[in-house]
């Protein structure tokens, strides 16, 4: 494993990526769960992207071909949604559209394990999950029984590297300190707020932003993931300073994302 030696160069890439996101307003198709739809859409709008919560099997695969990126999140999974997800991922691949997988609680049931196995075989450009999900995805023993992370990100770094190398994908592990790797490069991202896990769908919304960044960085999904996580780290830290609790944090965080200028990615770089 090799850590990127020039973090300032990576911060500059993140800055340019967010500037491109603000300029191009990419269309991001989100096949995501019921809990996160509103939050994910608002986060994408705050960052300048255009969200589309299109998931029906009758139109989702066709719609994917006109999008900048596709996000697949299995939070509230059902058989019809899974069928649509598989067809949409395949359609995105055919059209050269990057797609991002959020394997929410994939280790909790046999249905979820099988769903994620089938989705992984379609080759997501980026996988974003918490430490417990990534450890389990690599075949390790996780302490979690559901959607909550019970493992530290540091415990998931080796698993993330193994998945990225074997699957030729980018893995982003999020928690108190985030970790992103493509199997060769790797970086840690610090920041955010302890209030973030207390606001529902924050992680799912982050996955949507990863998709938006991938839409303007198709040739470098690693940098897309780093840029998205950096935005959340900076905005979360800003919002957490003034928030009185999870309620006020939620709207302050959205405002912090909306007012985040591209230069913040270099001035306040959270890369370590």
């Amino acid at each position: 494993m090799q850590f990127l030696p020039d973090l300032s160069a990576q911060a500059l890439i993140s800055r340019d990526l967010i500037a491109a996101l603000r300029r191009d307003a990419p269309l991001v198709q989100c096949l995501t769960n019921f809990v996160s739809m509103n939050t994910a859409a608002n986060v994408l709008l705050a960052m300048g992207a255009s969200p589309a919560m299109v998931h029906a099997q009758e139109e989702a695969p066709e719609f994917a071909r006109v999008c900048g990126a596709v996000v697949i999140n299995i939070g509230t999974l059902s058989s019809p949604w899974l069928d649509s997800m598989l067809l949409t991922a395949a359609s995105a691949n055919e059209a050269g559209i990057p797609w991002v997988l959020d394997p929410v609680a994939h280790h909790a049931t046999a249905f979820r394990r099988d769903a994620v196995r089938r989705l992984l075989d379609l080759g997501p450009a980026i996988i974003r999950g918490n430490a417990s999900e990534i450890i389990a995805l690599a075949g390790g023993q996780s302490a979690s029984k559901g959607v909550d992370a019970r493992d530290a990100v540091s415990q998931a770094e080796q698993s993330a590297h193994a998945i990225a190398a074997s699957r030729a994908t980018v893995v982003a592990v999020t928690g108190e300190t985030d970790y992103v790797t493509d199997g060769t490069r790797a970086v840690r991202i610090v920041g955010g707020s302890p209030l973030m896990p207390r606001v529902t769908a924050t992680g799912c919304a982050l996955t949507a932003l990863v998709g938006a960044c991938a839409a303007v960085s198709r040739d470098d999904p690693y940098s897309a993931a780093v840029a998205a996580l950096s935005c959340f780290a900076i905005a979360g830290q800003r919002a957490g300073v003034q928030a009185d609790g999870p309620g006020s944090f939620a709207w302050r965080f959205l405002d912090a994302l909306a007012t985040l200028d591209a230069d913040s990615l270099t001035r306040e770089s959270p890369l370590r």
Side-chain angles (χ1 to χ4, degrees), residues 127-147:
I127 302 168
R128 201 293 307 173
N130 63 41
S132 297
E133 289 162 348
I134 298 303
I135 290 170
L137 201 62
Q141 187 64 40
S142 165
S144 175
K145 301 299 182 184
V147 300

Side-chain angles (χ1 to χ4, degrees), residues 160-229:
H161 177 75
I163 296 167
S166 64
R167 293 279 182 177
T169 188
V170 173
V171 179
V173 192
T174 53
E176 187 173 348
T177 297
D178 302 332
Y179 181 78
V180 180
T181 183
D182 63 0
T184 301
R185 297 172 290 177
V187 68
R188 296 185 180 94
I189 301 168
V190 301
S193 166
L195 290 170
M196 295 177 85
R198 297 174 62 189
V199 177
T200 189
T202 303
C204 298
L206 172 55
T207 305
L209 182 57
V210 170
C213 289
V216 295
S217 182
R218 293 190 180 184
D219 295 332
D220 190 0
Y222 171 82
S223 292
V226 172
L229 271 59

